[in-house]
Amino acid sequence: MSNLLVSLVAQFKGQKAFNQAESATDKLSKKVNKLAKTLGLALGGAAIVKFAKDSIKAFAAEEKSIAMLSNALDNLGMGKQATQIYSYIEALQMATGVADDDLRPAFQKLATAGLNAADAQSVLALALNVSAGSGKDLDTVSSALAKAVGGNTGALSKLGVGLSKSELKTMSLNDIMLKLSATYKNSAAKAAETFSGKMAKLSVAIGTAKESIGKGLIDGLMLATGATDIADLQTKIINLGTTLASVFVATGNLIHDNWSLIKQLGIALIATFTAAKVYAGVAALISIINKLKAAYVALRTVSFAAAVATAAAINPVAAIAAAGVLVATIIAGNIALDKFNKSKAEAEKPFKVPDFTGLTGVDYGDAKRLEGLKIAAAKAQMKAAKEALKQKQLNKIFDLNYIQLYAALQGKLTDEEKNRVELQLALLDENVNAADYLSKKLAVSQGQTSMLSQFLRTLPDAKNPFESWGDYLKAIELEAKRIGALSFGTAAPSSVGGGGAASDAGKVTTNTPKVTDPYAGKSAYEIYGPSGGLGAGVIAGVNVKVFMDGKEMTSLITDAQVNDTLSGTFSDINRVAAKGSVGIR
Amino acid sequence: MPTELKGANELRKALKKFAPELAKETNVELVGFLKPIVKKARGYLPSNDEMPSGFVKHEVKTAKFPMYDATEARRGIGYKLTPTKPNRQGWSSTVSIHNKTAGGAIFETAGRKSGVSGRFSPKMAGSFAGSGKLVGRAMFKAYDEDQGKAKAAIIKAIEKAAIKFARGK
C-alpha cells in the first residue's frame, strides 16, 4: 500500500530504536552465552555419545575394509600371506600416517592388477611416495600404477609425475617404476616427518583407538542386550528407542492429566506464603536452590562424567539412556536456576523512581501504572498488617499472661495499679506508643505518691486537744479546795427581800451579808417537794418579787385590758400567790 | 524536510491524559492549519474524465496495475495528528498529511523520476511542484504552495500548548 506523506512535525525515535536494538543484542548475547553454557554441558554428554557412535562407525568401516581385502587375497591365492600383509599395512600406516582404510584398498588394487604380495607391497610403498611427492591422493596414484601394471600407462601420464606419453610408451614397467622411485624417493618418509605428517600419524592412532573402542562398545552392547549378532542388536536398539519414546509420551501425559492439580498446588503454595512468612519462605527457597546449585556444579564437573563413565563400563545401553536423562535434567535445572538468579538479581536492584518532571521524554502511562502499583502495594501492606493483628488477637485468647492481666483489670484497682497492668498489656502488645504513655503516667503517679509521703513525713506533729486539760482540771481542783477551805458566819437572815415598808417599794434591798442556810437540817424532799421542787405546769424558775405602787399597777392593767380588747381576746386579772402579786393571762 | 520537535509526541500524550480540554483546543487549532492544504490538494486531483481511460476504475480489471477513482483518491488525502510509527530511519511524524490511495499516489508522482514521457505520464493533468523528495501534482504541490506557513503555525501552536500545559492552564 502506497502512502505518500508530508511530515510537518516529526520526532526522531532512532535513539529508542537503537536502544531497543542494543537491548535486544544484549539479550541475544546473554541468551547465546547461556545457550553456549547449556550446549557446552549438553555437548559434554553429546560428545561422549558422538565418540561412541564414531568409534562404532570406525570399527564397522575397518571390519568391512578387512573383509574386502581378505576376500580379495583369498581369491588371488594370497590368503596364507594375509596376516603378513595386514602387519605390513599396519606398520606402513604407523610410519607414514596414512590410514589403513586407504592402504588396504590401494593394496587390494595392486594385488588385483596381478602383482604378488611382495611386489604389491613394494609398489604400494612407491605409490605412497608418489602420492606424498605429487600431492595426489593415494587412491588415484595406486589406481594409475595398477593400470600401468596392466599395460595402460595413460593414467600415469595424466598424473603429471614427470613421465611423458612418449617415455611411457618406450619404457618398460620396471623402468617406469625405477624412474618413479628415483623421482619420489623418501617422499612419504619426509612427509611423515612434517607437522601435518605427525598430525596424520596422531590421527591414525586415534582412529585405531576408535576402532578398538568401537569394537569394545559393540561387544559390550551385544553382551548387555544379549544380542547374538549385529542385526539382532540393531533390532534391540530400535526397540529401546520406541520404549523411550513411549516413556516420554507417558511422562507428558502424566503432566497434562495432572495439570490442574499442579496448578492448585502452586496456588496453595502461594496462599501459604502470607505476609509474615514471605521472608522465611524466600530464605528457605534460596537456601534450597543454593544447595541444588552446588549439587549441579559438582555434577557438572565430576559426578556427571564419572557417572556416565561408570555406567558405560557396566552397561553401555543404560549409560546412554542415563546420560540423556541426566543431560535433560541438568539443562532444565540450569535454565530454572538462571531464571531464578536473574529474578533475584533484578529484585535486589534498588528501585529507581522515574523522574516525571518536565515534558520531554516522559511516559505518562508508566506514571499512572506506577501510581496504581504503589496503591496496590500499600493496600497489600495494610491487609497484611490487619491479618497479623487479627492473628495476634486470636493468640491473645489463649495467652495466660493476657488472661491474668485482663482478670486483674476487672478487679478494684487504684489508678496506679491500673496503670501498671495497662503498661504490662501494652508491653505484651508491643504497642510502643501506649507503653510510652503509660510508663510516663506511672512515673508521674509514683512521683506524686512519693511527694505526698515526703510531705507527710515532714509535717509537724498535730497538737493534742486534750493536752491542757490536765492543768485545767488541776486548777479546778485547787479552786474547789480553795472554796472548800472558806469559812462563813453563823447568823443569817431567813429570807432575802420580802415585803417591806411602802417607802421601800420598787427597790431591791439587800440585807447584811449574813448568810444562813434556810435548808439546813431539811431533807431534799422537804426542800423541793414530791416533784423535786417543781409542780406540774409550774415553770421552774426564780421567784421574783416586784414591788410597785398602785398607780403603776393601775396603768399597766388598763393598758393590758385595752390591748386585749383591741385584739379581741379575753383577759382577766386574778390574784395569784401572795398579796401584791398580779398575774395576767 | 520535517522539523524535529523533541518531546512533541509525549506532550500530545500528556495533554490528552491530563489536560483533555487543552488537547482538544490544540487539535482544533492544528486542524485549522491543515485543512486548507488538504482541501487544496484534493482540488488538484483530476476527475475521472481527465484521466486515461485505462487507468480509471472500471468493472473488468485487466491487470494488477492500480486504478484511479477520483472520489477514492480525494478521500485518500487527509491529515493525521497522532504520531506515526517510526520509519526505517527512526523518524515518527507527529503531524502529517498523506495521500494514501494507490491511484492518488500514482497521479501525484508519475513521471517524477523518469520524466514526463512515454504514453502514460504525459496524460496526467496538472503539473509538478515542490522540491527534493516532496515533488508532486496534488498534495506536495499544495504543501509547496503553502510555503511553510502551516508548518510554522503548527509548531507555534504546539509550543503554545506546551507553555499552557506547563503553567497548568
Side-chain angles (χ1 to χ4, degrees), chain A residues 25-92:
Chain A
T25 314
D26 283 349
K27 278 180 189 170
L28 182 68
S29 89
K30 277 179 190 169
K31 280 185 180 170
V32 167
N33 284 340
K34 206 186 285 177
L35 184 68
K37 281 182 198 168
T38 313
L39 280 177
L41 185 66
L43 284 175
I48 294 167
V49 177
K50 189 176 179 296
F51 182 78
K53 272 186 186 175
D54 288 350
S55 300
I56 292 168
K57 205 186 273 181
F59 170 68
E62 165 96 351
E63 197 181 32
K64 186 184 170 189
S65 165
I66 289 172
M68 297 272 286
L69 181 62
S70 177
N71 187 42
L73 291 176
D74 282 344
N75 292 338
L76 294 168
M78 293 187 276
K80 288 179 184 172
Q81 296 164 309
T83 313
Q84 187 263 325
I85 292 166
Y86 294 149
S87 302
Y88 174 76
I89 288 172
E90 288 294 320
L92 204 62

XYZ file of all heavy atoms in Angstrom, chain A residues 25-92:
502
model
N 20.307 -6.945 21.421
C 21.614 -7.574 21.196
C 22.171 -8.133 22.492
O 22.690 -9.247 22.539
C 22.606 -6.537 20.621
O 21.951 -5.846 19.590
C 23.846 -7.194 20.087
N 22.018 -7.318 23.552
C 22.485 -7.782 24.862
C 21.789 -9.069 25.259
O 22.410 -10.026 25.718
C 22.218 -6.709 25.927
C 23.232 -5.599 25.830
O 24.216 -5.791 25.102
O 23.030 -4.555 26.470
N 20.455 -8.997 25.088
C 19.669 -10.177 25.455
C 20.125 -11.372 24.641
O 20.292 -12.474 25.162
C 18.191 -9.917 25.202
C 17.522 -9.142 26.324
C 16.072 -8.938 26.002
C 15.427 -7.976 26.983
N 14.092 -7.576 26.562
N 20.311 -11.088 23.332
C 20.711 -12.169 22.436
C 22.049 -12.748 22.879
O 22.211 -13.960 22.973
C 20.799 -11.642 21.008
C 21.170 -12.685 19.956
C 20.047 -13.693 19.799
C 21.462 -12.032 18.626
N 22.981 -11.828 23.201
C 24.305 -12.321 23.571
C 24.242 -13.107 24.869
O 24.898 -14.129 25.024
C 25.300 -11.169 23.663
O 25.305 -10.633 24.932
N 23.372 -12.609 25.794
C 23.215 -13.353 27.049
C 22.649 -14.742 26.769
O 23.085 -15.738 27.329
C 22.283 -12.601 27.992
C 22.979 -11.515 28.776
C 22.012 -10.795 29.653
C 22.664 -9.546 30.237
N 21.693 -8.688 30.883
N 21.627 -14.704 25.888
C 20.999 -15.979 25.571
C 21.989 -16.914 24.879
O 21.995 -18.115 25.132
C 19.779 -15.752 24.691
C 18.585 -15.328 25.520
C 17.347 -15.210 24.716
C 16.202 -14.772 25.614
N 15.017 -14.423 24.880
N 22.799 -16.296 24.004
C 23.783 -17.115 23.293
C 24.779 -17.700 24.286
O 25.117 -18.881 24.219
C 24.507 -16.267 22.214
C 25.736 -16.988 21.699
C 23.564 -15.979 21.066
N 25.196 -16.836 25.250
C 26.127 -17.325 26.273
C 25.505 -18.478 27.055
O 26.140 -19.482 27.336
C 26.489 -16.202 27.242
C 27.470 -15.241 26.616
O 28.133 -15.590 25.654
N 27.546 -14.032 27.147
N 24.235 -18.221 27.406
C 23.523 -19.239 28.177
C 23.423 -20.528 27.370
O 23.644 -21.626 27.865
C 22.127 -18.706 28.510
C 21.542 -19.317 29.757
C 20.140 -18.866 29.953
C 20.051 -17.456 30.449
N 18.654 -17.017 30.577
N 23.093 -20.292 26.086
C 22.956 -21.434 25.195
C 24.287 -22.161 25.078
O 24.344 -23.393 25.093
C 22.490 -20.945 23.826
C 22.208 -22.029 22.794
C 20.994 -22.843 23.194
C 21.974 -21.414 21.427
N 25.350 -21.317 25.010
C 26.681 -21.915 24.883
C 26.996 -22.768 26.103
O 27.508 -23.873 25.981
C 27.728 -20.824 24.724
N 26.606 -22.185 27.283
C 26.836 -22.956 28.512
C 26.068 -24.268 28.454
O 26.581 -25.336 28.759
C 26.354 -22.148 29.722
C 27.311 -21.081 30.173
C 26.734 -20.408 31.392
C 27.394 -19.068 31.625
N 26.678 -18.285 32.616
N 24.793 -24.085 28.108
C 23.936 -25.263 28.060
C 24.455 -26.261 27.039
O 24.541 -27.456 27.307
C 22.506 -24.843 27.679
O 22.160 -23.730 28.473
C 21.523 -25.952 27.914
N 24.813 -25.689 25.872
C 25.307 -26.573 24.826
C 26.604 -27.239 25.250
O 26.828 -28.401 24.978
C 25.529 -25.781 23.536
C 24.270 -25.513 22.713
C 24.625 -24.668 21.501
C 23.625 -26.810 22.258
N 27.424 -26.416 25.947
C 28.690 -26.949 26.430
C 28.457 -28.175 27.277
O 29.106 -29.211 27.125
N 27.469 -28.001 28.147
C 27.117 -29.110 29.031
C 26.529 -30.254 28.236
O 26.910 -31.416 28.383
C 26.111 -28.606 30.061
C 25.735 -29.595 31.131
C 26.943 -29.885 31.992
C 24.623 -29.037 31.978
N 25.578 -29.860 27.369
C 24.904 -30.879 26.591
C 25.899 -31.581 25.674
O 25.863 -32.793 25.505
C 23.794 -30.258 25.782
N 26.813 -30.726 25.118
C 27.792 -31.317 24.212
C 28.738 -32.243 24.951
O 29.262 -33.183 24.373
C 28.582 -30.208 23.504
C 27.822 -29.505 22.388
C 28.642 -28.359 21.833
C 27.480 -30.485 21.266
N 28.958 -31.906 26.231
C 29.777 -32.802 27.042
C 29.210 -34.204 26.973
O 29.930 -35.184 26.759
N 27.892 -34.242 27.147
C 27.209 -35.531 27.080
C 27.130 -36.025 25.651
O 27.396 -37.201 25.365
N 26.810 -35.081 24.758
C 26.630 -35.461 23.357
C 27.950 -35.933 22.761
O 27.976 -36.832 21.920
C 26.095 -34.283 22.572
N 29.046 -35.278 23.211
C 30.352 -35.639 22.675
C 30.675 -37.098 22.980
O 31.261 -37.801 22.144
C 31.420 -34.732 23.267
N 30.276 -37.476 24.184
C 30.538 -38.872 24.559
C 29.758 -39.812 23.633
O 30.289 -40.803 23.124
C 30.143 -39.096 26.033
C 31.082 -38.276 26.927
C 30.221 -40.559 26.411
C 30.621 -38.152 28.345
N 28.513 -39.423 23.436
C 27.662 -40.247 22.575
C 28.229 -40.270 21.155
O 28.301 -41.316 20.511
C 26.218 -39.691 22.583
C 25.336 -40.485 21.643
C 25.657 -39.736 23.993
N 28.662 -39.055 20.707
C 29.201 -38.956 19.342
C 30.470 -39.812 19.215
O 30.662 -40.514 18.224
C 29.531 -37.495 19.027
C 29.886 -37.254 17.574
C 30.095 -35.773 17.335
C 30.482 -35.510 15.886
N 31.756 -36.092 15.509
N 31.297 -39.721 20.245
C 32.539 -40.502 20.222
C 32.215 -41.987 20.126
O 32.841 -42.730 19.362
C 33.349 -40.208 21.487
C 34.664 -40.927 21.542
C 35.754 -40.461 20.809
C 34.822 -42.078 22.307
C 36.968 -41.124 20.847
C 36.030 -42.736 22.349
C 37.103 -42.265 21.618
N 31.219 -42.350 20.907
C 30.819 -43.763 20.881
C 30.331 -44.146 19.490
O 30.717 -45.198 18.951
C 29.727 -44.002 21.906
N 29.535 -43.255 18.918
C 28.998 -43.528 17.584
C 30.120 -43.644 16.558
O 30.159 -44.569 15.747
C 28.072 -42.370 17.162
C 26.640 -42.522 17.579
C 25.878 -41.369 16.949
C 24.446 -41.343 17.414
N 23.768 -40.157 16.892
N 31.037 -42.643 16.624
C 32.155 -42.628 15.674
C 33.008 -43.882 15.817
O 33.502 -44.447 14.829
C 33.019 -41.384 15.891
C 32.312 -40.127 15.427
O 31.254 -40.276 14.773
O 32.788 -39.017 15.728
N 33.180 -44.254 17.070
C 34.000 -45.442 17.329
C 33.359 -46.663 16.681
O 34.050 -47.465 16.025
C 34.132 -45.680 18.831
O 34.734 -44.559 19.423
N 32.065 -46.730 16.867
C 31.357 -47.881 16.290
C 31.435 -47.831 14.765
O 31.675 -48.852 14.107
C 29.892 -47.896 16.786
C 29.876 -48.203 18.284
C 29.063 -48.916 16.025
C 28.557 -47.964 18.947
N 31.297 -46.613 14.227
C 31.345 -46.447 12.771
C 32.737 -46.828 12.246
O 32.866 -47.534 11.236
C 31.035 -44.980 12.434
C 30.477 -44.800 11.025
C 30.336 -43.346 10.710
C 29.022 -42.804 11.174
N 28.858 -41.377 10.841
N 33.769 -46.354 12.945
C 35.142 -46.641 12.530
C 35.401 -48.136 12.560
O 36.029 -48.702 11.642
C 36.114 -45.921 13.462
N 34.916 -48.749 13.612
C 35.108 -50.200 13.730
C 34.396 -50.917 12.578
O 34.948 -51.857 11.978
C 34.575 -50.695 15.078
C 34.507 -52.186 15.188
C 35.689 -52.936 15.221
C 33.289 -52.869 15.221
C 35.641 -54.322 15.305
C 33.244 -54.243 15.307
C 34.417 -54.978 15.346
N 33.192 -50.430 12.251
C 32.419 -51.058 11.174
C 33.146 -50.919 9.841
O 33.251 -51.882 9.060
C 31.042 -50.406 11.097
N 33.700 -49.693 9.590
C 34.421 -49.453 8.339
C 35.662 -50.326 8.255
O 35.996 -50.910 7.207
C 34.798 -47.984 8.256
N 36.363 -50.415 9.362
C 37.576 -51.224 9.452
C 37.255 -52.688 9.143
O 37.933 -53.342 8.348
C 38.129 -51.093 10.887
C 39.170 -52.125 11.282
C 40.567 -51.582 11.095
O 40.688 -50.493 10.505
O 41.516 -52.253 11.507
N 36.212 -53.129 9.777
C 35.834 -54.532 9.610
C 35.487 -54.821 8.142
O 35.892 -55.843 7.570
C 34.634 -54.843 10.503
C 34.445 -56.329 10.716
C 33.243 -56.619 11.588
O 32.257 -55.855 11.536
O 33.301 -57.612 12.328
N 34.767 -53.844 7.537
C 34.362 -54.006 6.139
C 35.593 -54.037 5.230
O 35.727 -54.899 4.341
C 33.454 -52.837 5.756
C 32.841 -52.967 4.380
C 32.034 -51.722 4.067
C 31.609 -51.738 2.600
N 31.017 -50.475 2.210
N 36.509 -53.092 5.496
C 37.718 -52.985 4.692
C 38.546 -54.279 4.775
O 39.028 -54.806 3.760
C 38.511 -51.783 5.184
O 39.800 -51.824 4.694
N 38.704 -54.784 5.976
C 39.477 -56.026 6.173
C 38.802 -57.184 5.450
O 39.460 -58.002 4.784
C 39.639 -56.321 7.682
C 40.592 -55.305 8.304
C 40.149 -57.734 7.914
C 40.674 -55.364 9.805
N 37.494 -57.213 5.582
C 36.751 -58.311 4.961
C 36.923 -58.298 3.441
O 37.131 -59.347 2.808
C 35.276 -58.184 5.327
N 36.888 -57.112 2.860
C 37.039 -56.979 1.409
C 38.427 -57.430 0.966
O 38.579 -58.192 0.000
C 36.836 -55.503 0.998
C 35.472 -54.953 1.292
S 34.322 -55.233 -0.011
C 34.843 -54.086 -1.226
N 39.458 -56.921 1.685
C 40.834 -57.277 1.335
C 41.076 -58.773 1.519
O 41.713 -59.442 0.685
C 41.813 -56.465 2.192
C 43.301 -56.712 1.934
C 43.652 -56.330 0.487
C 44.177 -55.927 2.882
N 40.551 -59.256 2.607
C 40.713 -60.670 2.921
C 40.117 -61.527 1.805
O 40.731 -62.505 1.341
C 40.043 -60.958 4.256
O 40.119 -62.313 4.538
N 38.942 -61.120 1.387
C 38.262 -61.849 0.323
C 39.080 -61.799 -0.976
O 39.261 -62.816 -1.658
C 36.883 -61.223 0.119
C 36.056 -62.017 -0.844
O 36.035 -63.248 -0.800
N 35.403 -61.322 -1.782
N 39.606 -60.581 -1.275
C 40.400 -60.414 -2.491
C 41.663 -61.265 -2.440
O 42.037 -61.927 -3.426
C 40.760 -58.941 -2.663
N 42.326 -61.249 -1.280
C 43.557 -62.040 -1.114
C 43.263 -63.517 -1.270
O 44.040 -64.259 -1.888
C 44.197 -61.755 0.246
C 44.810 -60.346 0.423
C 45.325 -60.160 1.841
C 45.943 -60.113 -0.571
N 42.165 -63.933 -0.715
C 41.780 -65.347 -0.851
C 41.568 -65.695 -2.325
O 42.024 -66.745 -2.802
C 40.492 -65.615 -0.077
C 40.760 -65.730 1.418
O 41.940 -65.899 1.792
O 39.802 -65.598 2.215
N 40.895 -64.801 -2.990
C 40.613 -65.059 -4.405
C 41.877 -65.071 -5.258
O 41.950 -65.761 -6.278
C 39.659 -63.994 -4.954
C 38.282 -64.130 -4.326
O 37.942 -65.206 -3.822
N 37.522 -63.052 -4.350
N 42.868 -64.269 -4.826
C 44.118 -64.174 -5.598
C 45.139 -65.233 -5.167
O 46.270 -65.255 -5.648
C 44.735 -62.779 -5.435
C 43.917 -61.622 -6.035
C 44.448 -60.279 -5.566
C 43.968 -61.681 -7.555
N 44.743 -66.011 -4.212
C 45.639 -67.075 -3.749
C 46.681 -66.588 -2.786
O 47.737 -67.200 -2.615
N 46.430 -65.480 -2.169
C 47.395 -64.936 -1.198
C 46.839 -64.971 0.228
O 47.272 -64.239 1.095
C 47.758 -63.489 -1.565
C 48.523 -63.392 -2.866
S 49.124 -61.730 -3.194
C 47.715 -60.994 -3.938
N 45.893 -65.873 0.407
C 45.228 -65.953 1.720
C 46.181 -66.273 2.838
O 46.040 -65.761 3.955
N 47.174 -67.091 2.538
C 48.120 -67.505 3.573
C 48.999 -66.333 4.009
O 49.552 -66.336 5.099
C 48.987 -68.646 3.054
C 48.224 -69.951 2.923
C 49.121 -71.047 2.379
C 48.308 -72.342 2.163
N 49.090 -73.380 1.467
N 49.170 -65.403 3.108
C 50.044 -64.253 3.428
C 49.255 -63.082 4.029
O 49.814 -61.997 4.242
C 50.752 -63.795 2.142
C 51.681 -64.864 1.586
C 52.072 -64.570 0.155
O 51.221 -64.316 -0.692
N 53.375 -64.607 -0.110
N 48.012 -63.323 4.237
C 47.131 -62.227 4.689
C 47.630 -61.568 5.973
O 47.703 -60.336 6.079
C 45.723 -62.759 4.877
N 48.046 -62.436 6.938
C 48.475 -61.892 8.233
C 49.687 -60.991 8.059
O 49.771 -59.895 8.631
C 48.821 -63.045 9.200
O 47.783 -63.996 9.142
C 48.969 -62.552 10.618
N 50.601 -61.471 7.249
C 51.817 -60.683 6.993
C 51.469 -59.366 6.303
O 52.042 -58.316 6.623
C 52.773 -61.547 6.145
C 54.141 -60.952 5.928
C 54.218 -60.226 4.582
O 53.598 -60.651 3.603
N 54.992 -59.150 4.543
N 50.528 -59.466 5.369
C 50.105 -58.256 4.638
C 49.445 -57.253 5.602
O 49.750 -56.055 5.573
C 49.144 -58.630 3.487
C 49.917 -59.404 2.405
C 48.484 -57.398 2.877
C 49.032 -60.117 1.386
N 48.619 -57.765 6.472
C 47.952 -56.858 7.443
C 48.986 -56.166 8.326
O 48.897 -54.964 8.602
C 46.963 -57.631 8.328
C 45.781 -58.190 7.570
C 45.173 -59.385 7.998
C 45.256 -57.542 6.460
C 44.093 -59.906 7.333
C 44.175 -58.079 5.771
C 43.593 -59.250 6.210
O 42.535 -59.770 5.530
N 49.990 -56.967 8.757
C 51.032 -56.390 9.616
C 51.788 -55.298 8.869
O 52.095 -54.227 9.427
C 52.033 -57.474 10.046
O 51.358 -58.484 10.695
N 52.075 -55.599 7.583
C 52.791 -54.620 6.770
C 51.968 -53.325 6.667
O 52.507 -52.220 6.830
C 53.072 -55.216 5.385
C 53.675 -54.224 4.419
C 55.023 -53.860 4.511
C 52.891 -53.644 3.427
C 55.566 -52.930 3.639
C 53.430 -52.712 2.550
C 54.762 -52.359 2.666
O 55.300 -51.432 1.795
N 50.703 -53.515 6.393
C 49.834 -52.330 6.236
C 49.763 -51.532 7.551
O 49.831 -50.298 7.549
C 48.429 -52.752 5.759
C 48.504 -53.184 4.277
C 47.414 -51.616 5.904
C 47.248 -53.790 3.723
N 49.699 -52.254 8.664
C 49.647 -51.575 9.974
C 50.926 -50.762 10.196
O 50.892 -49.600 10.626
C 49.512 -52.598 11.108
C 48.140 -53.268 11.213
C 47.038 -52.294 11.585
O 47.268 -51.410 12.441
O 45.932 -52.392 10.997
N 52.067 -51.415 9.883
C 53.356 -50.752 10.076
C 53.473 -49.534 9.164
O 53.939 -48.460 9.576
C 54.494 -51.745 9.787
N 53.043 -49.737 7.913
C 53.078 -48.640 6.943
C 52.209 -47.476 7.415
O 52.588 -46.299 7.295
C 52.570 -49.177 5.593
C 53.014 -48.437 4.336
C 54.547 -48.489 4.186
C 52.373 -49.081 3.099
